[in-house]
Amino acid sequence: MDIAGAAAATGTHKNELMLFYTLLELTLIVLAGRLGGGLAKRCGQSAAVGEIIIGILLGPSLFGMVAPRAFDYVFYSAPPEPLTILSNLGLVLLMFQIGLEFDFAHLSERANRAAVLRVSVACLGLPFAGGFALGYLIAAASAPALRIDTALFIATAFSITALPMLGRIMMELDLTRTRVGVIAISSAAVNDVVGWLLLALITALTISDFAAGRFALRVAMVAAFALISALAVRPLLKGAIRKSGPRDGRMSANLLGGLLAVIFIAAMTTYQIGIFAIFGGFMMGVILYDETELLAAWRARLGDFVAVFFLPIFFTYTGLRTSIGGLDTWADWGLCAAIVVTASLVKLCAGYFAARRSGRDHPESMMIAYMMNTRGLMELIVINVGLDLGVISPKLFTMLVIMAIFSTVITTPALRYYLPRTGIRAQA
């Protein structure tokens, strides 16, 4: 065999070997995700909660500690890029489905628009202030960076609401087309867009590269993207949907291919703007929220595949960066408890009182508060940036992961408790 042939054979072998290890990872992740989701439902939780916990346990927090050789063989025999790409692709598709699920016609009522504004502002402002105060107090002992940088990143982490996780919980409880559900998801969307802009600003400040003009330009680009999506892309897509005519849970291959292309282009656009690719997918779903036949067809063709295959990959990928065993002293756990309690209280109080101020009764206000307190793994995007920049230590990173899990775990039981008091019937 000549040199070129030998090189080609070697390259083929490496590709096959990488495929083998990637398939091994995916097999374990998918089966573990099904197990975690099933156990969570038996405990009265959302399946998403079980999947997120099992994803953490597949990392060094349990699997890597109990069976380090097997852990290294499964997750470190292949490069991380395939898992990274698949996890983010899954989030983009999920966000499109979440956007489709919500009936934003509720926002035509002035009272509901006012409620969204109040809830989103309150759930940004108070948690940010609380997170900044706590972060400034603990920064000296938790990270080598300047205290102000650490405090700003913790404040942003406290402010985030996990839009994908909240959306999945609400879909499973059949809250997506209720007034309280639309207020919560709309507030969470506003909350997160502003949160990502804050993240961009704080990151720029941390690396001493902030320019007011550049930040203002980014805000303008976000607004332009939203307007173009609503005024130009929406009519074009609705025309294509009317022409294709999805019905009875079916859509044509051409319509599906066109939708996927539009979703990916939107995701690339929001990535270039700087507010993360998932919001492009979400916006494309939002502008088609009134296409009920399209929603049914999407669920039938891709809904389960996204939930069963893509999302557990995202949860596991994040779990690989989390090591709960790193908290090895009582002082660490005391600080962790302080973070969890403070983050939950400020978010719950902000959401509750803002909803009450907007005319919602006590049960609905509590539901909105708990939904806004759902942080899930979206928060990890923020703290991953902080970890990479060196302003958040590995221990503090783990504490914030625990806070995200806790705030997500308590959401479903709280919603099931308050739902009967609102007259809304929850799914079993």
Side-chain angles (χ1 to χ4, degrees):
M1 183 183 294
D2 58 18
I3 296 176
T10 302
T12 301
H13 175 71
K14 287 182 178 179
N15 290 337
E16 285 291 312
L17 194 60
M18 185 170 69
L19 175 63
F20 172 83
Y21 286 118
T22 301
L23 291 175
L24 175 62
E25 292 174 341
L26 294 176
T27 301
L28 178 61
I29 290 169
V30 170
L31 293 178
R34 290 298 83 214
L35 175 63
L39 290 175
K41 284 191 170 183
R42 286 180 176 272
C43 297
Q45 281 281 351
S46 163
V49 170
E51 291 167 6
I52 189 173
I53 292 176
I54 208 75
I56 300 298
L57 297 181
L58 282 177
S61 297
L62 181 65
F63 185 26
M65 181 174 60
V66 173
R69 290 187 178 180
F71 173 75
D72 289 341
Y73 180 77
V74 172
F75 289 110
Y76 293 125
S77 295
E81 285 79 11
L83 219 57
T84 305
I85 294 171
L86 287 172
S87 67
N88 285 286
L89 175 60
L91 278 184
V92 170
L93 295 176
L94 174 69
M95 291 304 293
F96 174 75
Q97 182 174 329
I98 290 173
L100 281 178
E101 289 276 355
F102 290 95
D103 184 3
F104 289 94
H106 285 290
L107 296 182
S108 61
E109 299 180 23
R110 183 176 180 180
N112 290 344
R113 292 199 302 271
V116 168
L117 179 62
R118 288 194 183 98
V119 171
S120 57
V121 170
C123 288
L124 270 169
L126 186 59
F128 191 91
F132 184 86
L134 180 62
Y136 194 79
L137 289 174
I138 67 176
S142 302
L146 294 174
R147 297 175 75 180
I148 188 72
D149 295 334
T150 302
L152 285 171
F153 270 93
I154 293 176
T156 306
F158 274 31
S159 302
I160 291 295
T161 297
L163 200 59
M165 184 64 70
L166 175 59
R168 283 200 69 190
I169 291 173
M170 292 172 69
M171 283 191 293
E172 291 178 8
L173 295 178
D174 200 23
L175 290 172
T176 56
R177 294 187 176 267
T178 63
R179 180 175 60 182
V180 66
V182 170
I183 289 174
I185 199 67
S186 302
S187 300
V190 173
N191 183 294
D192 276 2
V193 169
V194 177
W196 301 135
L197 291 173
L198 281 173
L199 177 60
L201 171 61
I202 292 167
T203 302
L205 288 170
T206 300
I207 62 178
S208 301
D209 191 31
F210 173 67
R214 188 180 305 167
F215 182 68
L217 177 61
R218 180 165 291 174
V219 174
M221 287 192 295
V222 172
F225 173 75
L227 286 174
I228 292 171
S229 298
L231 300 179
V233 180
R234 172 178 160 86
L236 291 174
L237 287 179
K238 289 181 74 67
I241 292 168
R242 283 195 300 270
K243 185 176 181 180
S244 177
R247 59 179 58 88
D248 300 326
R250 296 182 180 181
M251 73 171 84
S252 68
N254 287 339
L255 178 59
L256 177 59
L259 278 176
L260 290 173
V262 169
I263 293 167
F264 296 157
I265 291 171
M268 289 187 291
T269 302
T270 52
Y271 168 78
Q272 290 294 334
I273 291 173
I275 59 168
F276 296 91
I278 62 170
F279 286 103
F282 180 65
M283 180 58 72
M284 292 304 100
V286 167
I287 62 177
L288 298 175
Y289 73 88
D290 52 352
E291 295 289 343
T292 54
E293 290 290 343
L294 176 66
L295 172 60
W298 177 272
R299 282 176 173 173
R301 298 201 66 170
L302 286 177
D304 287 341
F305 184 72
V306 171
V308 172
F309 178 72
F310 281 115
L311 284 189
I313 298 173
F314 176 74
F315 297 145
T316 303
Y317 173 72
T318 306
L320 293 175
R321 304 193 70 179
T322 305
S323 179
I324 296 176
L327 306 182
D328 52 6
T329 68
W330 285 109
D332 289 339
W333 284 105
L335 180 56
C336 181
I339 289 173
V340 170
V341 171
T342 303
S344 298
L345 283 179
V346 293
K347 198 81 163 181
L348 290 172
C349 289
Y352 176 80
F353 288 111
R356 290 290 283 171
R357 180 72 185 276
S358 302
R360 305 278 74 82
D361 59 20
H362 173 71
E364 283 191 347
S365 297
M366 289 303 299
M367 287 179 63
I368 290 172
Y370 274 102
M371 286 189 281
M372 293 301 295
N373 187 51
T374 306
R375 290 181 177 87
L377 291 179
M378 288 303 292
E379 175 195 323
L380 292 183
I381 297 176
V382 177
I383 60 177
N384 273 317
V385 172
L387 183 64
D388 292 339
L389 290 175
V391 299
I392 291 178
S393 68
K395 281 189 177 182
L396 186 54
F397 177 88
T398 298
M399 294 174 192
L400 291 169
V401 171
I402 293 173
M403 180 266 284
I405 294 174
F406 175 82
S407 65
T408 306
V409 166
I410 64 175
T411 299
T412 300
L415 293 179
R416 290 189 185 278
Y417 176 80
Y418 286 107
L419 270 171
R421 291 156 176 79
T422 65
I424 303 171
R425 184 176 181 181
Q427 293 280 31

